Structures are given as C-alpha cells and as structure tokens.
Amino acid sequence: MKNKVWQDSVYYRQDISEMLPALSNKEVWIGMNIGNYDNGGHKASLNISIHPEEENKPKNTWLLPLFNTNNVMEMAGQQYATMFNTEKGLEVTFDVPEGFKNFKLRYITTGHGGWENGDEFVPKKNIILVDEKEVFAFTPWRTDCGSYRLSNPASGNFSDGLSSSDLSRSNWCPGTVTNPIYIDLGNLSPGKHTIQIKIPQGKPEGSSFSSWNVSGCLIGD
C-alpha cells in the first residue's frame, strides 16, 4: 500500500499493580510468542516501572493464576488451545483460603484461526461457570481494528482497499493491546471450587482451525 507512513515500533503500556502479590520478592519468568507473516522477525523489549507510594499502602489482596491457554512455548511443541470443541470446555479446580472475600476474575479472551468462518472473524459467546453455575456470559468483539493500520505493514491487502488488519475480530486487533475484564464472583467459601470456560468453538475450515487464548486470575480482598 503506497503513500503510508508505517510505524517501525509499537508501544504498549499497561497498569499491573494488581499483580503485586505475584511479583513482589519473587523471581518471575515472562513468556512471549509473536505469530505473524513478517520474514524479518521482531525485536521486543520490556520495562517494568515501580512507583512507590509514600502514603497509601498496597491492599492486602490474594491472587491465584487459574489458567492461560496462550501457547507461548509453541516452538517447543505446545499446541493451540482447541479444547473448547468439547462440552466440558476448559475446567480448573482451585482452593480458596480463609480470610478473603469479594472475589473477582481477571479475564482475557481472544479468538483465533479459521478462514472467513473461523472464530477469529465470527462472534462467539464466552460463558463462565463457577461450581457449575453460570456467573457471566458475553460475546467478545472488536470493531476498531482499522484504527491501527499503520502499525501493521506486514498485513495482507485486498483489492477493495481493506487491509487484513482492518477486519473486526474476536476481541483483539493487530497492533494493539487486549485489556482484561473483571467479573465479580462475590464471596467464595473456603475450600475447593471449580471454574469452567465454555466457548462454541467452530469446526476446522479446510486446512485451518479455530482456537482461543484465554487467561484467568482470581483476586480476593
């Protein structure tokens, strides 16, 4: 596409203060995978900024990572998250300690794959169940992807003037960040619980298939 001033870098900034219990005084590994069609590869860098608060002390929160289906170890053989083609979907059992309340789920979801009828380009409802009871359901979708065209010089382009990166998608756009949503779960009793994520994943389309990257972290006060 001519007469475009393509960005040579894309910057993301996100507040991760709520992750403090999982980061403080610990060794942390950060995984990243970049999947697209650019032969030149990418250079990635990461900075974590700490802003000490003199007056307000951090809240005494409890944090438990529950699931993350993003195949950051793809080059080592980790498969794509296609478990949503079963009735069970994704199910995780977890323990809640005593002394916490007002739980919420920090949830991120993006649909990928398929051709024009794949889950990347077809809205699909996400259903969250706790202890077999539905607590939240929504259809994740982004319609603003064309806003980030100049961050996608390697995108495919069509004869009608659209770029592949312009197309609306299942909660993500090339060149921008996908923000979490927060789902109130109320008070969970101490002990074992289960959480399920159900998505009506589409069937394979030719040589392509659909998958979903979902992550969930439980936060309690």
Side-chain angles (χ1 to χ4, degrees), residues 140-145 148 167-173 176-179:
W141 193 245
R142 290 281 296 271
T143 61
D144 59 331
C145 295
Y148 309 98
L167 301 179
S168 298
R169 284 174 165 83
S170 289
N171 209 39
W172 68 279
C173 293
T176 187
V177 71
T178 298
N179 292 305

Side-chain angles (χ1 to χ4, degrees), residues 35-89:
N36 63 21
Y37 306 107
D38 185 4
N39 292 332
H42 296 76
K43 293 181 180 180
S45 61
L46 171 69
N47 291 308
I48 296 179
S49 300
I50 300 174
H51 305 276
E53 296 188 40
E54 296 181 359
E55 299 180 359
N56 298 324
K57 293 183 178 180
K59 293 176 62 178
N60 183 26
T61 57
W62 175 77
L63 185 147
L64 177 66
L66 294 175
F67 50 84
N68 186 341
T69 67
N70 188 358
N71 56 331
V72 294
M73 297 294 291
E74 179 181 357
M75 300 306 294
Q78 183 180 359
Q79 298 299 308
Y80 287 82
T82 59
M83 74 284 291
F84 298 103
N85 64 355
T86 65
E87 175 63 25
K88 185 177 182 181

Side-chain angles (χ1 to χ4, degrees), residues 200-211:
Q201 179 179 296
K203 295 181 180 180
E205 186 179 10
S207 60
S208 187
F209 60 89
S210 296
S211 63

Side-chain angles (χ1 to χ4, degrees), residues 14-28 30 48-50 58-68 104-108 178-182 215-220:
Q14 204 166 22
D15 183 0
I16 57 170
S17 301
E18 62 202 0
M19 295 297 167
L20 183 62
L23 300 173
S24 182
N25 298 316
K26 298 176 182 178
E27 182 180 28
V28 177
I30 296 176
I48 296 179
S49 300
I50 300 174
K59 293 176 62 178
N60 183 26
T61 57
W62 175 77
L63 185 147
L64 177 66
L66 294 175
F67 50 84
N68 186 341
K104 59 185 177 183
L105 176 68
R106 182 185 189 271
Y107 183 65
I108 301 175
T178 298
N179 292 305
I181 66 167
Y182 296 86
S215 70
C217 186
L218 186 64
I219 302 174

Side-chain angles (χ1 to χ4, degrees), residues 54-217:
E54 296 181 359
E55 299 180 359
N56 298 324
K57 293 183 178 180
K59 293 176 62 178
N60 183 26
T61 57
W62 175 77
L63 185 147
L64 177 66
L66 294 175
F67 50 84
N68 186 341
T69 67
N70 188 358
N71 56 331
V72 294
M73 297 294 291
E74 179 181 357
M75 300 306 294
Q78 183 180 359
Q79 298 299 308
Y80 287 82
T82 59
M83 74 284 291
F84 298 103
N85 64 355
T86 65
E87 175 63 25
K88 185 177 182 181
L90 172 66
E91 183 178 69
V92 175
T93 300
F94 60 95
D95 286 298
V96 170
E98 295 185 359
F100 293 94
K101 60 182 181 179
N102 300 326
F103 290 92
K104 59 185 177 183
L105 176 68
R106 182 185 189 271
Y107 183 65
I108 301 175
T109 178
T110 56
H112 302 267
W115 292 339
E116 63 182 24
N117 295 312
D119 286 8
E120 183 169 325
F121 304 108
V122 177
K124 294 292 183 73
K125 180 185 287 188
N126 285 220
I127 303 173
I128 294 93
L129 303 95
V130 175
D131 298 329
E132 300 184 347
K133 180 181 178 181
E134 182 178 322
V135 295
F136 192 76
F138 77 117
T139 301
W141 193 245
R142 290 281 296 271
T143 61
D144 59 331
C145 295
S147 302
Y148 309 98
R149 177 186 285 199
L150 296 182
S151 299
N152 294 283
S155 180
N157 302 308
F158 308 123
S159 59
D160 60 2
L162 276 175
S163 174
S164 176
S165 63
D166 294 342
L167 301 179
S168 298
R169 284 174 165 83
S170 289
N171 209 39
W172 68 279
C173 293
T176 187
V177 71
T178 298
N179 292 305
I181 66 167
Y182 296 86
I183 302 168
D184 290 328
L185 302 180
N187 295 328
L188 298 174
S189 59
K192 287 191 177 296
H193 296 269
T194 61
I195 187 168
Q196 280 181 284
I197 309 297
K198 292 188 175 183
I199 304 170
Q201 179 179 296
K203 295 181 180 180
E205 186 179 10
S207 60
S208 187
F209 60 89
S210 296
S211 63
W212 284 81
N213 289 339
V214 299
S215 70
C217 186

